[in-house]
Structures are given as structure tokens and as C-alpha cells.
Short mmCIF file of all heavy atoms in Angstrom, two decimals:
data_model
loop_
_atom_site.label_atom_id
_atom_site.label_comp_id
_atom_site.label_asym_id
_atom_site.label_seq_id
_atom_site.Cartn_x
_atom_site.Cartn_y
_atom_site.Cartn_z
N MET A 2 3.15 -6.29 12.18
CA MET A 2 3.60 -5.02 11.59
C MET A 2 3.46 -5.08 10.08
O MET A 2 3.80 -6.08 9.46
CB MET A 2 5.03 -4.72 11.99
CG MET A 2 5.54 -3.40 11.45
SD MET A 2 4.64 -1.96 11.90
CE MET A 2 5.17 -1.78 13.60
N TYR A 3 3.06 -4.02 9.50
CA TYR A 3 2.97 -3.91 8.04
C TYR A 3 3.93 -2.89 7.51
O TYR A 3 4.33 -1.98 8.19
CB TYR A 3 1.55 -3.56 7.64
CG TYR A 3 0.55 -4.57 7.93
CD1 TYR A 3 -0.03 -4.67 9.17
CD2 TYR A 3 0.16 -5.48 6.96
CE1 TYR A 3 -1.00 -5.65 9.46
CE2 TYR A 3 -0.77 -6.46 7.22
CZ TYR A 3 -1.34 -6.55 8.48
OH TYR A 3 -2.26 -7.52 8.73
N LYS A 4 4.30 -3.12 6.23
CA LYS A 4 5.14 -2.12 5.60
C LYS A 4 4.55 -1.71 4.25
O LYS A 4 3.92 -2.51 3.59
CB LYS A 4 6.57 -2.70 5.39
CG LYS A 4 7.43 -2.64 6.61
CD LYS A 4 8.84 -2.98 6.28
CE LYS A 4 9.73 -2.82 7.49
NZ LYS A 4 11.16 -3.10 7.13
N CYS A 5 4.84 -0.50 3.86
CA CYS A 5 4.40 0.00 2.58
C CYS A 5 5.08 -0.77 1.48
O CYS A 5 6.28 -0.99 1.49
CB CYS A 5 4.68 1.49 2.48
SG CYS A 5 4.32 2.17 0.86
N ALA A 6 4.32 -1.16 0.50
CA ALA A 6 4.87 -1.96 -0.59
C ALA A 6 5.72 -1.08 -1.52
O ALA A 6 6.52 -1.60 -2.33
CB ALA A 6 3.78 -2.62 -1.40
N ARG A 7 5.53 0.23 -1.46
CA ARG A 7 6.24 1.12 -2.37
C ARG A 7 7.55 1.65 -1.76
O ARG A 7 8.60 1.59 -2.37
CB ARG A 7 5.33 2.25 -2.76
CG ARG A 7 5.95 3.11 -3.86
CD ARG A 7 5.09 4.38 -4.11
NE ARG A 7 3.77 4.04 -4.64
CZ ARG A 7 2.82 4.95 -4.83
NH1 ARG A 7 3.00 6.20 -4.49
NH2 ARG A 7 1.68 4.61 -5.30
N CYS A 8 7.41 2.23 -0.55
CA CYS A 8 8.57 2.91 0.03
C CYS A 8 9.11 2.18 1.25
O CYS A 8 10.06 2.68 1.89
CB CYS A 8 8.23 4.36 0.36
SG CYS A 8 7.07 4.54 1.72
N LYS A 9 8.49 1.08 1.61
CA LYS A 9 8.94 0.26 2.77
C LYS A 9 8.84 0.97 4.09
O LYS A 9 9.50 0.57 5.05
CB LYS A 9 10.42 -0.19 2.55
CG LYS A 9 10.66 -0.81 1.18
CD LYS A 9 9.90 -2.10 1.04
CE LYS A 9 10.27 -2.85 -0.20
NZ LYS A 9 9.85 -2.16 -1.45
N GLU A 10 8.01 1.95 4.13
CA GLU A 10 7.78 2.65 5.39
C GLU A 10 6.89 1.82 6.31
O GLU A 10 5.86 1.34 5.89
CB GLU A 10 7.10 4.01 5.11
CG GLU A 10 6.94 4.89 6.35
CD GLU A 10 8.23 5.57 6.74
OE1 GLU A 10 9.26 5.39 6.07
OE2 GLU A 10 8.19 6.33 7.75
N PRO A 11 7.29 1.64 7.55
CA PRO A 11 6.42 0.91 8.47
C PRO A 11 5.10 1.59 8.71
O PRO A 11 5.07 2.81 8.85
CB PRO A 11 7.26 0.89 9.78
CG PRO A 11 8.63 1.23 9.40
CD PRO A 11 8.54 2.09 8.16
N ILE A 12 4.07 0.82 8.74
CA ILE A 12 2.71 1.40 8.92
C ILE A 12 2.28 1.22 10.35
O ILE A 12 2.24 0.09 10.87
CB ILE A 12 1.72 0.70 7.98
CG1 ILE A 12 2.19 0.82 6.55
CG2 ILE A 12 0.35 1.36 8.11
CD1 ILE A 12 2.36 2.19 5.99
N ARG A 13 1.99 2.29 10.98
CA ARG A 13 1.52 2.22 12.38
C ARG A 13 0.04 2.39 12.50
O ARG A 13 -0.51 2.31 13.60
CB ARG A 13 2.24 3.27 13.21
CG ARG A 13 3.72 2.97 13.33
CD ARG A 13 4.36 3.97 14.27
NE ARG A 13 5.79 3.69 14.48
CZ ARG A 13 6.76 4.07 13.65
NH1 ARG A 13 6.42 4.78 12.59
NH2 ARG A 13 7.99 3.78 13.91
N SER A 14 -0.64 2.68 11.42
CA SER A 14 -2.03 2.88 11.46
C SER A 14 -2.78 1.57 11.80
O SER A 14 -2.22 0.48 11.62
CB SER A 14 -2.59 3.40 10.14
OG SER A 14 -1.92 4.59 9.79
N ASP A 15 -3.99 1.71 12.26
CA ASP A 15 -4.79 0.55 12.59
C ASP A 15 -5.23 -0.14 11.29
O ASP A 15 -5.96 0.39 10.50
CB ASP A 15 -6.02 1.01 13.38
CG ASP A 15 -6.83 -0.20 13.81
OD1 ASP A 15 -6.41 -1.33 13.64
OD2 ASP A 15 -7.97 0.04 14.29
N MET A 16 -4.72 -1.38 11.11
CA MET A 16 -5.04 -2.08 9.87
C MET A 16 -6.47 -2.53 9.80
O MET A 16 -6.95 -2.99 8.77
CB MET A 16 -4.12 -3.34 9.72
CG MET A 16 -2.64 -2.94 9.55
SD MET A 16 -2.37 -1.89 8.10
CE MET A 16 -2.64 -3.11 6.78
N ASN A 17 -7.18 -2.41 10.88
CA ASN A 17 -8.59 -2.79 10.87
C ASN A 17 -9.50 -1.68 10.34
O ASN A 17 -10.66 -1.91 10.01
CB ASN A 17 -9.04 -3.16 12.32
CG ASN A 17 -8.35 -4.44 12.76
OD1 ASN A 17 -8.23 -5.35 12.01
ND2 ASN A 17 -7.98 -4.47 14.02
N SER A 18 -8.96 -0.50 10.28
CA SER A 18 -9.72 0.60 9.78
C SER A 18 -9.85 0.47 8.24
O SER A 18 -9.02 -0.12 7.59
CB SER A 18 -9.10 1.94 10.12
OG SER A 18 -8.07 2.25 9.27
N VAL A 19 -10.88 1.03 7.69
CA VAL A 19 -11.16 0.92 6.26
C VAL A 19 -10.17 1.71 5.43
O VAL A 19 -9.63 1.27 4.44
CB VAL A 19 -12.59 1.32 5.95
CG1 VAL A 19 -12.84 1.15 4.44
CG2 VAL A 19 -13.54 0.47 6.75
N GLU A 20 -9.96 2.94 5.88
CA GLU A 20 -9.10 3.84 5.13
C GLU A 20 -7.71 3.92 5.73
O GLU A 20 -7.49 4.64 6.72
CB GLU A 20 -9.73 5.24 5.08
CG GLU A 20 -10.91 5.32 4.11
CD GLU A 20 -10.46 5.32 2.64
OE1 GLU A 20 -9.33 5.73 2.37
OE2 GLU A 20 -11.18 4.81 1.84
N ILE A 21 -6.82 3.22 5.15
CA ILE A 21 -5.45 3.33 5.61
C ILE A 21 -4.57 3.78 4.46
O ILE A 21 -4.83 3.43 3.30
CB ILE A 21 -4.90 2.02 6.20
CG1 ILE A 21 -5.13 0.88 5.23
CG2 ILE A 21 -5.51 1.74 7.55
CD1 ILE A 21 -4.42 -0.37 5.63
N GLN A 22 -3.48 4.45 4.77
CA GLN A 22 -2.66 5.03 3.73
C GLN A 22 -1.25 5.23 4.31
O GLN A 22 -1.09 5.53 5.48
CB GLN A 22 -3.26 6.38 3.36
CG GLN A 22 -2.93 6.78 1.92
CD GLN A 22 -3.74 7.96 1.47
OE1 GLN A 22 -4.45 8.55 2.26
NE2 GLN A 22 -3.57 8.34 0.19
N CYS A 23 -0.27 5.03 3.47
CA CYS A 23 1.09 5.26 3.91
C CYS A 23 1.29 6.75 4.22
O CYS A 23 0.91 7.61 3.45
CB CYS A 23 2.08 4.85 2.81
SG CYS A 23 3.78 5.23 3.18
N GLU A 24 1.83 6.98 5.38
CA GLU A 24 2.02 8.39 5.79
C GLU A 24 3.07 9.11 4.98
O GLU A 24 3.13 10.31 4.89
CB GLU A 24 2.41 8.47 7.28
CG GLU A 24 1.35 7.89 8.20
CD GLU A 24 1.82 7.90 9.64
OE1 GLU A 24 2.97 8.30 9.87
OE2 GLU A 24 1.05 7.47 10.53
N LYS A 25 3.91 8.29 4.30
CA LYS A 25 5.07 8.89 3.60
C LYS A 25 4.73 9.14 2.13
O LYS A 25 4.93 10.23 1.65
CB LYS A 25 6.22 7.95 3.74
CG LYS A 25 7.56 8.60 3.38
CD LYS A 25 8.70 7.68 3.67
CE LYS A 25 10.02 8.31 3.38
NZ LYS A 25 11.14 7.40 3.68
N CYS A 26 4.23 8.09 1.46
CA CYS A 26 4.03 8.23 0.02
C CYS A 26 2.59 8.17 -0.42
O CYS A 26 2.25 8.39 -1.52
CB CYS A 26 4.85 7.16 -0.74
SG CYS A 26 4.19 5.51 -0.56
N GLY A 27 1.69 7.84 0.56
CA GLY A 27 0.28 7.81 0.22
C GLY A 27 -0.20 6.53 -0.46
O GLY A 27 -1.31 6.43 -0.89
N SER A 28 0.70 5.53 -0.52
CA SER A 28 0.35 4.27 -1.13
C SER A 28 -0.65 3.53 -0.25
O SER A 28 -0.70 3.72 0.94
CB SER A 28 1.60 3.42 -1.32
OG SER A 28 1.23 2.12 -1.73
N LYS A 29 -1.48 2.72 -0.90
CA LYS A 29 -2.47 1.95 -0.16
C LYS A 29 -2.23 0.44 -0.31
O LYS A 29 -3.11 -0.37 -0.12
CB LYS A 29 -3.86 2.29 -0.61
CG LYS A 29 -4.27 3.71 -0.22
CD LYS A 29 -5.69 3.98 -0.55
CE LYS A 29 -6.10 5.38 -0.07
NZ LYS A 29 -7.49 5.68 -0.48
N ILE A 30 -1.01 0.12 -0.70
CA ILE A 30 -0.67 -1.28 -0.79
C ILE A 30 0.43 -1.63 0.21
O ILE A 30 1.46 -0.96 0.26
CB ILE A 30 -0.17 -1.62 -2.25
CG1 ILE A 30 -1.21 -1.18 -3.25
CG2 ILE A 30 0.13 -3.11 -2.36
CD1 ILE A 30 -0.74 -1.40 -4.69
N PHE A 31 0.18 -2.69 1.00
CA PHE A 31 1.09 -3.01 2.09
C PHE A 31 1.34 -4.52 2.10
O PHE A 31 0.61 -5.29 1.49
CB PHE A 31 0.52 -2.60 3.42
CG PHE A 31 -0.03 -1.18 3.40
CD1 PHE A 31 -1.37 -0.95 3.24
CD2 PHE A 31 0.82 -0.12 3.53
CE1 PHE A 31 -1.88 0.33 3.23
CE2 PHE A 31 0.32 1.17 3.53
CZ PHE A 31 -1.04 1.38 3.39
N TYR A 32 2.42 -4.86 2.81
CA TYR A 32 2.62 -6.29 3.01
C TYR A 32 3.03 -6.53 4.45
O TYR A 32 3.55 -5.67 5.13
CB TYR A 32 3.70 -6.84 2.04
CG TYR A 32 5.07 -6.27 2.22
CD1 TYR A 32 5.93 -6.79 3.21
CD2 TYR A 32 5.51 -5.23 1.44
CE1 TYR A 32 7.19 -6.29 3.34
CE2 TYR A 32 6.79 -4.68 1.58
CZ TYR A 32 7.61 -5.21 2.55
OH TYR A 32 8.88 -4.70 2.71
N LYS A 33 2.74 -7.72 4.88
CA LYS A 33 3.08 -8.07 6.26
C LYS A 33 4.57 -8.23 6.38
O LYS A 33 5.22 -8.90 5.60
CB LYS A 33 2.39 -9.38 6.59
CG LYS A 33 1.12 -9.24 7.41
CD LYS A 33 0.63 -10.58 7.84
CE LYS A 33 -0.69 -10.43 8.61
NZ LYS A 33 -1.25 -11.75 8.96
N ASP A 34 5.09 -7.57 7.40
CA ASP A 34 6.54 -7.62 7.60
C ASP A 34 6.89 -8.81 8.46
O ASP A 34 7.11 -8.73 9.66
CB ASP A 34 6.99 -6.34 8.28
CG ASP A 34 8.52 -6.28 8.35
OD1 ASP A 34 9.18 -6.98 7.60
OD2 ASP A 34 9.03 -5.52 9.16
N ARG A 35 6.88 -9.99 7.85
CA ARG A 35 7.24 -11.19 8.58
C ARG A 35 8.17 -12.01 7.70
O ARG A 35 7.97 -12.12 6.50
CB ARG A 35 5.98 -12.01 8.87
CG ARG A 35 5.25 -11.56 10.11
CD ARG A 35 4.23 -12.60 10.50
NE ARG A 35 3.46 -12.21 11.66
CZ ARG A 35 2.59 -13.02 12.25
NH1 ARG A 35 2.31 -14.21 11.75
NH2 ARG A 35 1.95 -12.64 13.32
N PRO A 36 9.13 -12.68 8.32
CA PRO A 36 10.02 -13.54 7.57
C PRO A 36 9.26 -14.70 6.93
O PRO A 36 8.45 -15.33 7.57
CB PRO A 36 10.99 -14.10 8.63
CG PRO A 36 10.76 -13.36 9.87
CD PRO A 36 9.47 -12.65 9.75
N ASN A 37 9.53 -14.91 5.66
CA ASN A 37 8.93 -16.06 4.91
C ASN A 37 7.43 -15.87 4.63
O ASN A 37 6.85 -16.70 3.98
CB ASN A 37 9.13 -17.38 5.66
CG ASN A 37 10.58 -17.62 5.91
OD1 ASN A 37 11.45 -17.31 5.11
ND2 ASN A 37 10.89 -18.23 7.04
N VAL A 38 6.86 -14.80 5.17
CA VAL A 38 5.44 -14.59 4.90
C VAL A 38 5.27 -13.22 4.33
O VAL A 38 5.43 -12.22 5.03
CB VAL A 38 4.61 -14.73 6.19
CG1 VAL A 38 3.15 -14.49 5.87
CG2 VAL A 38 4.78 -16.16 6.75
N ARG A 39 4.93 -13.17 3.08
CA ARG A 39 4.68 -11.87 2.47
C ARG A 39 3.28 -11.84 1.86
O ARG A 39 3.04 -12.29 0.80
CB ARG A 39 5.69 -11.56 1.40
CG ARG A 39 6.99 -11.04 1.96
CD ARG A 39 7.79 -10.30 0.89
NE ARG A 39 8.99 -9.72 1.48
CZ ARG A 39 9.78 -8.89 0.80
NH1 ARG A 39 9.54 -8.66 -0.45
NH2 ARG A 39 10.82 -8.34 1.35
N LYS A 40 2.38 -11.34 2.67
CA LYS A 40 1.02 -11.24 2.19
C LYS A 40 0.71 -9.82 1.80
O LYS A 40 0.73 -8.91 2.62
CB LYS A 40 0.07 -11.71 3.32
CG LYS A 40 -1.37 -11.80 2.87
CD LYS A 40 -2.23 -12.33 3.96
CE LYS A 40 -3.67 -12.44 3.53
NZ LYS A 40 -4.58 -12.94 4.57
N VAL A 41 0.41 -9.64 0.57
CA VAL A 41 0.11 -8.31 0.07
C VAL A 41 -1.29 -7.88 0.42
O VAL A 41 -2.26 -8.64 0.24
CB VAL A 41 0.30 -8.23 -1.43
CG1 VAL A 41 -0.06 -6.82 -1.97
CG2 VAL A 41 1.72 -8.57 -1.85
N ILE A 42 -1.37 -6.73 1.02
CA ILE A 42 -2.68 -6.23 1.44
C ILE A 42 -3.07 -5.02 0.60
O ILE A 42 -2.27 -4.12 0.41
CB ILE A 42 -2.64 -5.81 2.94
CG1 ILE A 42 -2.09 -6.93 3.79
CG2 ILE A 42 -4.01 -5.38 3.38
CD1 ILE A 42 -3.00 -8.10 3.91
N LYS A 43 -4.27 -5.06 0.08
CA LYS A 43 -4.76 -3.91 -0.65
C LYS A 43 -5.90 -3.24 0.14
O LYS A 43 -6.93 -3.88 0.41
CB LYS A 43 -5.26 -4.34 -2.03
CG LYS A 43 -4.17 -4.46 -3.01
CD LYS A 43 -4.73 -4.56 -4.43
CE LYS A 43 -3.57 -4.67 -5.46
NZ LYS A 43 -4.10 -4.70 -6.80
N ALA A 44 -5.73 -2.03 0.47
CA ALA A 44 -6.74 -1.29 1.17
C ALA A 44 -7.79 -0.84 0.18
O ALA A 44 -7.51 -0.45 -0.95
CB ALA A 44 -6.13 -0.08 1.88
N ARG A 45 -9.04 -0.83 0.61
CA ARG A 45 -10.10 -0.39 -0.27
C ARG A 45 -10.19 1.11 -0.28
O ARG A 45 -10.09 1.74 0.74
CB ARG A 45 -11.43 -0.94 0.22
CG ARG A 45 -11.45 -2.48 0.10
CD ARG A 45 -12.81 -2.98 0.51
NE ARG A 45 -12.83 -4.43 0.58
CZ ARG A 45 -13.89 -5.16 0.95
NH1 ARG A 45 -14.99 -4.52 1.26
NH2 ARG A 45 -13.83 -6.47 0.94
ZN1 ZN B 115 4.87 4.41 1.35
#
């Protein structure tokens, strides 16, 4: 599961798709929602 880096909204979109965007704030920066692992993802 991923979360929006800006508003913390859970992202349900397919992360394999090229164009992903937060449904709430439109941000394209996300991080993996895992304990001890925070990998920031930048969508192109
Ligand atoms: Zn957001």
C-alpha cells in the first residue's frame, strides 16, 4: 500500500501505471506505507 506524501491519503491506484495521482490533493509523490520502510516514490 502506498500513501500520499502530502496529505497521507491511501493510494488505491495501480502503481504500475505511468500516470498516478493522489485522488485527494493531486500530488504525485508517494511513499510505501510500511513500518521501518519509507521509500519515496516519484511518479513521472
Ligand atoms: Zn494527497
Side-chain angles (χ1 to χ4, degrees):
M2 181 59 75
Y3 292 85
K4 278 191 176 183
C5 173
R7 189 188 293 174
C8 68
K9 309 296 187 293
E10 184 78 1
I12 305 298
R13 292 186 178 84
S14 302
D15 183 9
M16 293 301 290
N17 292 320
S18 80
V19 180
E20 284 288 331
I21 52 170
Q22 209 169 4
C23 175
E24 296 176 359
K25 196 173 182 179
C26 72
S28 171
K29 291 185 177 178
I30 304 175
F31 312 99
Y32 64 84
K33 261 186 182 177
D34 187 20
R35 277 192 181 185
N37 304 324
V38 179
R39 280 200 173 186
K40 185 177 182 181
V41 177
I42 307 291
K43 278 194 180 182
R45 294 184 186 178

